[in-house]
Amino acid sequence: IKHYPDTGFYDVSLTITNPITQCKNGFTYDDMVKIFPTPTAEITADASLCYPDSAQLIYTHTIDSSFCTWEFEGAHQSGTGNDTIMMIMDSPKGKAVLTVNEYGCVSLPAEITLKRLPHFDFLTDFEEGCQPYNPEIFADPHDELLNFTWLTDTLPHPVGNSIFYLFPDSGRMDVTLMATSQETGCFDTLTKNEWIWVHPKPVAAFEVDYPVALLEHADITFSNYSEWADYYLWDFGDEETSTEFEPIHTFMQLGDYNSQLFVESEYECKDTAEFSIKILPFTVFTPTAFRPESEIEENKTFMPLGIGADPSQFKLEIYDRWGQIIFETTSP
C-alpha cells in the first residue's frame, strides 16, 4: 500500500527477479497513478445585495471536468446549466447549496443565501372617478412582514396598508408605493403611471331674465352658462322639467320657486345650481279723490294701494283738470 500525500501524476515500475537464476525483467507505466485535488466548492455571488427575482450563481473554480450539483431552499433553478446557473428566488430569502465532483473527487457542500426585493402590488375599487376624487388604495403584499410607505406630494409620507388618496385636479395620475421587508431589509418601489383617471367635474351655472316677474308676464328665459357638461335637466320648482339647453318656461301660479339645473358629463360627473324666482300679482288701485278733513280716516290720505309694483320703477303724477301737473314722485 502506497500513500501519496501530494497531488500529481506518478509513474509505477515493476521489476521481476528469478530466484534461481537471478535474472531480472521489468517495465514501467508512465503516469499510472494520478492524484487529483479535492475540489473546493465556492459560489460567486454577493449576499449583501437585494436581487430582483433572479440571481446568477457561478462556481468559482470551475475546470473542464467539473460536475456541479445544485440544491435549493426557497428557490429553484431556471433552465439548464452546470457551473453557471440562474437561480429564481421564490421567497424573500433563497439558499443554494453546491457540491462539486471533479475526477471522482467530491467537495464538501458550500452554501449561500441571497435576498430578493419585496413582491407586492396595490389596487383600488375604481381606477377612475370625478374631480375631486378621493379613492381608498390598498397595498397588496405578496410576501409576509412588509411595511408600506405611500410616496405622495406631501411630507411626511403616510404609512400603512391603505390610504385615502385625494386627487383635487383632473387628469391621469401616478401612484407610487414603497415596500420594506422586515425579514431582509430590502425595499423596492412600484409606480403605476397614469393609473388613476380623474374626470373634470362639470360646473352648473345659469341666470334668468326676470328673477321677479308678474303672473301676467311669467315667461322666464333660462340662460345656461354651464361648463364641461353634456346632459342637462331643469327642475323649475313647479313640478315641471325640461332637458333643453336653454328653455323658456311659463309659471302658471303665484309663489316662490326654487329652480334647479342638474348637469352631468359623459363620465357621469355631476353638479347642481339653483336660482330663486318670485311670481307676483299686479293689482294697483289709485284713489280719484281724498279730503284731509274727512271724519273717515281712510279718506284723509291719498295713497295708491296694491301689490306687484316695482319700487325702483315707481312714478306717480297728478294733474289738475286743465292738464297741468301739480304733483309728482318716484317714492311709493
Side-chain angles (χ1 to χ4, degrees):
I1 298 175
K2 172 65 177 176
H3 175 67
Y4 294 90
D6 300 318
T7 61
F9 293 174
Y10 297 91
D11 300 338
V12 177
S13 298
L14 175 62
T15 301
I16 301 173
T17 303
N18 189 313
I20 299 175
T21 64
Q22 296 300 309
C23 294
K24 298 181 179 181
N25 194 9
F27 56 90
T28 298
Y29 283 105
D30 295 334
D31 300 335
M32 182 177 181
V33 176
K34 299 178 180 180
I35 306 300
F36 296 99
T38 300
T40 300
E42 185 176 334
I43 304 172
T44 299
D46 191 345
S48 66
L49 297 180
C50 294
Y51 289 87
D53 293 344
S54 62
Q56 187 180 62
L57 304 182
I58 301 174
Y59 168 42
T60 306
H61 308 297
T62 182
I63 60 176
D64 291 341
S65 62
S66 300
F67 179 79
C68 300
T69 300
W70 298 89
E71 297 177 332
F72 304 94
E73 291 182 15
H76 67 276
Q77 181 175 337
S78 174
T80 60
N82 181 42
D83 53 7
T84 301
I85 67 163
M86 190 66 66
M87 181 176 76
I88 306 299
M89 284 178 278
D90 305 315
S91 301
K93 291 183 177 181
K95 183 170 75 172
V97 180
L98 171 63
T99 304
V100 180
N101 185 320
E102 293 174 355
Y103 301 109
C105 302
V106 181
S107 70
L108 295 174
E111 65 180 49
I112 190 170
T113 299
L114 300 181
K115 305 173 293 182
R116 68 154 168 77
L117 299 175
H119 280 189
F120 65 100
D121 195 2
F122 55 84
L123 48 88
T124 188
D125 293 333
F126 301 99
E127 296 177 10
E128 59 182 278
C130 299
Q131 175 191 16
Y133 191 37
N134 188 209
E136 185 174 12
I137 303 177
F138 305 91
D140 181 19
H142 300 171
D143 295 337
E144 297 181 352
L145 303 176
L146 295 184
N147 295 330
F148 295 102
T149 302
W150 301 90
L151 303 184
T152 64
D153 294 333
T154 60
L155 293 174
H157 295 310
V159 298
N161 289 345
S162 67
I163 181 178
F164 281 95
Y165 209 125
L166 177 62
F167 299 97
D169 302 320
S170 61
R172 298 275 190 171
M173 305 299 174
D174 303 341
V175 177
T176 301
L177 175 63
M178 182 176 71
T180 303
S181 172
Q182 302 177 39
E183 182 179 0
T184 65
C186 297
F187 66 90
D188 196 13
T189 58
L190 172 62
T191 298
K192 295 185 179 181
N193 294 313
E194 299 184 351
W195 183 55
I196 296 294
W197 190 7
V198 183
H199 303 295
K201 179 183 178 181
V203 177
F206 71 95
E207 291 182 355
V208 297
D209 53 352
Y210 296 107
V212 178
L214 303 177
L215 184 61
E216 289 80 358
H217 304 284
D219 298 329
I220 306 300
T221 298
F222 291 78
S223 298
N224 192 342
Y225 299 109
S226 302
E227 297 179 336
W228 304 301
D230 298 283
Y231 309 102
Y232 309 91
L233 175 62
W234 300 87
D235 183 345
F236 300 113
D238 59 355
E239 301 184 355
E240 297 291 331
T241 61
S242 174
T243 57
E244 297 180 25
F245 181 73
E246 290 186 326
I248 298 176
H249 180 65
T250 301
F251 290 91
M252 306 303 295
Q253 301 290 333
L254 303 175
D256 294 323
Y257 297 95
N258 186 35
S259 296
Q260 294 179 299
L261 171 59
F262 302 92
V263 299
E264 183 176 335
S265 71
E266 61 177 314
Y267 302 107
E268 298 184 357
C269 301
K270 303 175 181 179
D271 193 29
T272 305
E274 59 184 31
F275 204 101
S276 180
I277 299 174
K278 181 184 292 291
I279 303 300
L280 300 175
F282 185 75
T283 305
V284 177
F285 300 97
T286 303
T288 59
F290 75 104
R291 186 164 66 88
E293 296 83 4
S294 174
E295 296 177 356
I296 303 174
E297 186 66 29
E298 290 80 358
N299 290 345
K300 290 182 178 182
T301 304
F302 178 86
M303 176 65 68
L305 299 175
I307 54 176
D310 185 351
S312 65
Q313 300 184 41
F314 181 86
K315 184 177 182 180
L316 172 66
E317 296 175 340
I318 300 177
Y319 296 83
D320 63 14
R321 69 181 63 192
W322 297 280
Q324 300 297 315
I325 187 167
I326 60 173
F327 179 79
E328 62 180 324
T329 182
T330 57
S331 170

